[in-house]
C-alpha cells in the first residue's frame, strides 16, 4: 500500500535494508561505472515490487502438473519511460522483472547554466492512455526534467502516471506536488537539499556521468 512520507503527500520512500545497502555503494564516489550500473538496475528491480501493487489483475485458470487452479495475472498495458541518459539504467532493472512492459524514450538534459530542461528526443507508444505509465530517472533535483517529461507524457495521452527515482530532493518533490499533484513519486531516498549548482546533497553526483564513465 502507498504510504506517504510524513512531510510530502506525493512521495513514498523505501525504507528497506537491502535497498539502503545497495544505495550506500552507489553513493560512494569510489564505486566505478560497472558496479554503479549493476546497482542502479538492481535497486530499480526491487522498487517495482511496490510501484506495481495497484495495477489491475484478473483471474486466470492454470493447469499445474497436478490439477487446475485459479491464479492472478496483471492485466494492464504497462509503459516504462526512462529519461535519457541515466533513466536507462533503472529501466533495464525494471524490464528484468517486468519484461511485458513497453518502453518509451525521452531524451532530456539539464542546461548546466540555467538548470532548465532541454528535450532532444521523444519516442513514445501512440496509445499511452491505454495503461499505467512509469517515468524513470534516478535523480529528482530541481524537478525541471521530471516536470517537463510529465507534461510531454500527458500531451501524448497518458493519464495514469507515477515516477520512480533513486534520490529525490525536497525541492524537486515540492515542485512535483505543485505541478503534477496526482503523480506519486517512489524514491529510494529523500536527501537533504540542493546545492547552489542544483546538485543533490549528499546525493551521488552526476548520475549519467557516473553510470557511463563520462566524468
Ligand atoms: C540528470 C538526471 C535528471 C536531471 C535531474 O540528467 O538524470 O534527468 O539531471 O535534474 P533536475 O531535476 O534538476 O532537472 P542530466 O541533465 O545530467 O542529463 P544526462 O543524464 O544526459 O547526463
Ligand atoms: N542531476 C544529477 O545527475 N545529479 C544531481 O545531483 C542533480 C542533477
Amino acid at each position: 500500500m502507498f504510504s506517504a512520507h510524513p512531510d510530502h503527500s506525493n512521495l513514498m520512500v523505501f525504507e528497506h535494508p537491502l535497498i539502503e545497502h545497495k544505495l550506500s555503494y552507489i553513493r560512494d564516489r569510489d564505486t566505478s561505472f560497472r558496479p554503479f550500473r549493476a546497482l542502479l538496475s538492481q535497486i530499480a528491480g526491487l522498487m517495482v515490487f511496490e510501484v506495481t501493487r495497484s495495477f489491475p489483475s484478473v483471474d486466470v485458470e492454470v493447469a499445474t502438473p497436478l490439477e487446475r487452479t485459479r491464479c492472478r495475472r496483471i492485466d494492464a498495458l504497462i509503459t516504462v519511460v526512462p529519461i535519457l541518459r541515466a533513466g536507462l539504467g533503472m529501466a533495464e532493472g525494471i524490464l528484468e522483472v517486468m519484461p511485458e512492459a513497453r518502453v518509451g524514450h525521452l531524451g532530456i538534459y539539464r542546461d548546466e547554466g540555467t538548470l532548465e530542461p532541454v528535450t532532444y528526443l521523444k519516442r513514445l507508444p501512440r496509445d499511452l492512455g491505454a495503461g499505467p505509465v512509469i517515468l524513470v530517472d534516478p535523480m529528482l533535483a530541481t524537478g525541471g526534467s521530471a516536470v517537463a517529461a510529465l507534461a510531454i507524457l500527458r500531451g501524448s495521452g497518458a493519464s495514469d502516471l507515477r515516477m520512480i527515482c533513486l534520490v529525490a530532493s525536497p525541492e524537486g518533490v515540492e515542485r512535483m506536488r505543485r505541478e503534477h499533484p496526482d503523480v506519486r513519486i517512489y524514491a529510494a531516498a529523500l536527501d537533504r537539499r540542493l546545492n547552489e549548482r542544483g546538485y543533490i546533497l549528499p546525493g551521488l553526483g552526476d548520475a549519467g556521468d557516473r553510470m557511463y564513465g563520462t566524468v
Side-chain angles (χ1 to χ4, degrees):
M1 204 202 321
F2 180 82
S3 171
H5 186 279
D7 300 330
H8 303 278
S9 58
N10 56 339
L11 173 71
M12 187 198 142
V13 178
F14 285 78
E15 277 161 12
H16 191 284
L18 186 55
I19 291 180
E20 287 170 352
H21 172 80
K22 289 178 187 292
L23 190 56
S24 79
Y25 286 98
I26 222 168
R27 285 191 194 275
D28 188 334
R29 66 179 181 192
D30 292 331
T31 299
S32 74
F33 53 88
R34 193 172 168 181
F36 187 96
R37 278 202 293 267
L39 288 159
L40 192 57
S41 167
Q42 289 163 14
I43 296 175
L46 293 169
M47 291 172 81
V48 166
F49 181 70
E50 188 59 38
V51 177
T52 52
R53 190 187 281 278
S54 61
F55 285 3
S57 59
V58 289
D59 267 339
V60 291
E61 198 172 275
V62 166
T64 77
L66 300 175
E67 61 178 18
R68 298 191 75 78
T69 186
R70 285 201 168 279
C71 301
R72 303 284 298 171
R73 282 193 184 151
I74 288 184
D75 184 30
L77 189 55
I78 302 162
T79 308
V80 176
V81 181
I83 300 181
L84 276 49
R85 295 174 295 165
L88 284 173
M90 294 190 90
E92 200 175 293
I94 294 171
L95 293 172
E96 280 281 323
V97 293
M98 217 168 52
E100 305 83 359
R102 308 185 294 182
V103 183
H105 292 90
L106 286 178
I108 301 177
Y109 70 86
R110 200 169 75 147
D111 181 290
E112 288 299 320
T114 63
L115 299 186
E116 289 301 316
V118 180
T119 303
Y120 59 90
L121 179 103
K122 286 183 224 174
R123 290 282 183 277
L124 300 168
R126 276 182 215 284
D127 53 345
L128 269 188
V133 177
I134 307 174
L135 180 67
V136 185
D137 191 330
M139 309 308 282
L140 179 66
T142 65
S145 304
V147 161
L150 288 165
I152 293 169
L153 295 174
R154 285 192 204 283
S156 304
S159 56
D160 183 3
L161 290 153
R162 70 263 299 133
M163 178 176 189
I164 301 184
C165 62
L166 194 64
V167 180
S169 75
E171 294 89 335
V173 172
E174 248 336 89
R175 182 161 175 194
M176 286 276 281
R177 195 189 55 76
R178 282 196 312 272
E179 302 200 31
H180 295 282
D182 59 314
V183 176
R184 285 177 179 174
I185 305 163
Y186 297 83
L190 174 66
D191 275 10
R192 209 167 72 252
R193 66 174 176 86
L194 298 178
N195 71 8
E196 60 292 342
R197 291 173 51 228
Y199 277 84
I200 300 175
L201 297 175
L204 50 81
D206 186 306
D209 283 346
R210 292 205 53 200
M211 189 178 146
Y212 290 113
T214 48
V215 242

